[in-house]
Amino acid sequence: MASRSGNRYLRRMNAPAALPRQRKPDWIRVKAPVSEGYHKTRKLMRDLNLATVCEEAACPNIGECWTKKHATVMILGDTCTRACAFCNVKTGMPRAVDPLEPEHVAVAAAELGLEHIVVTSVDRDDLPDGGASQFVKVIQALRRNTPNTTIEILTPDFRNKSEAAVEAIVEAGPDVYNHNLETVPRLYPTIRPGARYYASLRLLESVKRHAPHIFTKSGVMVGLGEQRLEVHQVMDDMRSAGVDFLTMGQYLQPTPRHAKVEEFVTPKAFDAYAAIARAKGFLLVAASPMTRSSYHAGDDFKKMQQARQAQLARTNAAA
């Protein structure tokens, strides 16, 4: 009879080999978050019982952003009702909505001294309104407590309830409404199976229809196996929906169980995408390997304001 140590040896010999880690190119390197600002931001979020997409989605820019005390708050808890193949946020049955969360977000904005805040959420298909009312309450709390802070929201698609959700949120008056298309339509069944591409487009279109003055924003990841012309078509679809600001970044695989990276898109290719997007008429384009939806969002908001003013000036001059 084989000994226990022998059995363990045989099991190790017969076990499947671990998959080698994908080596990232030199242009995708970030420093570990070790600064004092990072630790202070993290402590504040824990003290206020707030989740952040920076942590939950394993954002590679967390060290840089938190050092500057810029954090993207994720409301409605840290558990999503969907399981997208690209996302590191955990899936399961979420807890009850925290009634103190809106005030805590406002306190965080004040403590961090934020001129611009980005608020996102998990998908909450379990809620009758998809969580739209919590977005409204957060916007209202921020307006009361930090009236000079501009507000950017990044919402889910509010599946089967988007029209009512958009109406309520737009009425609350965010400065920027972001909803990411994430990828090209062909890849939705495998990458974003719980969502529908054209439903997301209609949501963005609905925001513009209800409130033309609110900046709209959407983002896509590349490196998932999409084709160049498919990305160009997504840009056209966004422009047809009135989207002002396009963000585009490299998809990075959070864990081995997530969708794998099919390609590391070069900085030169990102520059080419950005040039095409600008030619298609976006007010602003941010396209680079490390670009994420809320990366440098405050600076980008100011650029959008300037771009709109310049656009209006050109229109008035031509009239």
Side-chain angles (χ1 to χ4, degrees), residues 11 40 72 81 123 127 136 147 150 171 204 238 248 253 269 280 285:
R11 283 198 297 270
K40 285 183 177 179
T72 298
T81 53
D123 282 285
L127 299 175
V136 171
T150 50
E171 180 67 25
L204 289 161
M238 286 185 183
M248 181 181 294
Q253 186 180 19
K280 291 180 182 292
V285 178

Side-chain angles (χ1 to χ4, degrees), residues 78-138:
D78 62 359
T79 304
C80 189
T81 53
R82 300 191 197 171
C84 295
F86 65 88
C87 184
N88 197 47
V89 176
K90 65 184 177 183
T91 302
M93 180 54 67
R95 291 175 291 181
V97 176
D98 181 2
L100 299 178
E101 191 174 57
E103 290 300 322
H104 286 171
V105 173
V107 170
E111 289 285 331
L112 294 170
L114 297 181
E115 294 182 6
H116 186 84
I117 187 171
V118 182
V119 180
T120 188
S121 80
V122 290
D123 282 285
R124 290 296 301 261
D125 297 319
D126 59 310
L127 299 175
D129 67 349
S133 59
Q134 191 76 338
F135 273 99
V136 171
K137 291 172 184 174
V138 168

Side-chain angles (χ1 to χ4, degrees), residues 2-317:
S3 67
R4 287 186 180 181
S5 60
N7 285 335
R8 283 198 298 270
Y9 173 77
L10 289 172
R11 283 198 297 270
R12 284 201 302 272
M13 292 297 292
N14 293 327
L19 292 172
R21 290 179 65 110
Q22 271 182 305
R23 180 175 173 79
K24 296 182 179 69
D26 291 339
W27 62 79
I28 300 180
R29 297 293 164 90
V30 293
K31 295 179 180 178
V34 295
S35 71
E36 182 181 355
Y38 167 85
H39 290 293
K40 285 183 177 179
T41 301
R42 186 177 185 279
K43 183 178 185 302
L44 177 63
M45 295 299 144
R46 296 295 79 76
D47 290 346
L48 293 171
N49 194 34
L50 291 174
T52 70
V53 75
C54 320
E55 296 168 288
E56 304 302 331
C59 179
N61 300 318
I62 188 171
E64 177 186 345
C65 294
W66 281 28
T67 294
K68 298 175 181 176
K69 298 185 178 180
H70 295 169
T72 298
V73 179
M74 190 170 75
I75 63 173
L76 295 166
D78 62 359
T79 304
C80 189
T81 53
R82 300 191 197 171
C84 295
F86 65 88
C87 184
N88 197 47
V89 176
K90 65 184 177 183
T91 302
M93 180 54 67
R95 291 175 291 181
V97 176
D98 181 2
L100 299 178
E101 191 174 57
E103 290 300 322
H104 286 171
V105 173
V107 170
E111 289 285 331
L112 294 170
L114 297 181
E115 294 182 6
H116 186 84
I117 187 171
V118 182
V119 180
T120 188
S121 80
V122 290
D123 282 285
R124 290 296 301 261
D125 297 319
D126 59 310
L127 299 175
D129 67 349
S133 59
Q134 191 76 338
F135 273 99
V136 171
K137 291 172 184 174
V138 168
I139 293 168
Q140 291 171 340
L142 287 164
R143 295 296 187 213
R144 283 194 306 270
N145 293 279
T146 57
N148 295 324
T149 301
T150 50
I151 302 169
E152 178 173 330
I153 57 164
L154 169 55
T155 76
D157 61 9
F158 301 114
R159 188 166 60 196
N160 300 325
K161 48 186 85 81
S162 66
E163 191 65 26
V166 165
E167 286 184 19
I169 293 171
V170 162
E171 180 67 25
D175 298 285
V176 182
Y177 195 121
N178 187 0
H179 174 65
N180 288 330
L181 293 182
E182 306 291 9
T183 189
V184 301
R186 177 175 58 85
L187 296 178
Y188 262 57
T190 53
I191 300 302
R192 202 177 173 220
R196 299 293 178 268
Y197 178 80
Y198 290 102
S200 285
L201 268 180
R202 286 195 297 273
L203 182 150
L204 289 161
E205 189 177 46
S206 180
V207 175
K208 270 299 180 194
R209 187 172 67 251
H210 285 95
H213 64 283
I214 292 178
F215 290 108
T216 50
K217 179 176 174 179
S218 189
V220 292
M221 302 169 289
V222 292
L224 283 162
E226 69 290 329
Q227 299 298 312
R228 181 171 53 84
L229 292 180
E230 289 180 304
V231 177
H232 293 174
Q233 183 60 55
V234 170
M235 293 178 187
D236 287 336
D237 291 342
M238 286 185 183
R239 290 300 301 129
S240 295
V243 172
D244 298 303
F245 183 8
L246 166 66
T247 61
M248 181 181 294
Q250 170 71 51
Y251 167 68
L252 297 175
Q253 186 180 19
T255 73
R257 63 185 173 81
H258 288 85
K260 69 174 184 177
V261 176
E262 298 292 340
E263 177 189 8
F264 285 108
V265 179
T266 66
K268 186 176 180 179
F270 273 103
D271 290 343
Y273 274 133
I276 290 167
R278 292 187 187 99
K280 291 180 182 292
F282 288 96
L283 270 182
L284 194 66
V285 178
S288 74
M290 301 309 293
T291 293
R292 297 296 182 267
S293 289
S294 55
Y295 190 45
H296 297 160
D299 292 337
D300 287 337
F301 174 68
K302 293 174 183 176
K303 291 176 184 176
M304 269 197 294
Q305 287 180 310
Q306 293 166 359
R308 176 175 284 175
Q309 289 166 0
Q311 187 183 65
L312 289 172
R314 288 193 299 271
T315 302
N316 293 334

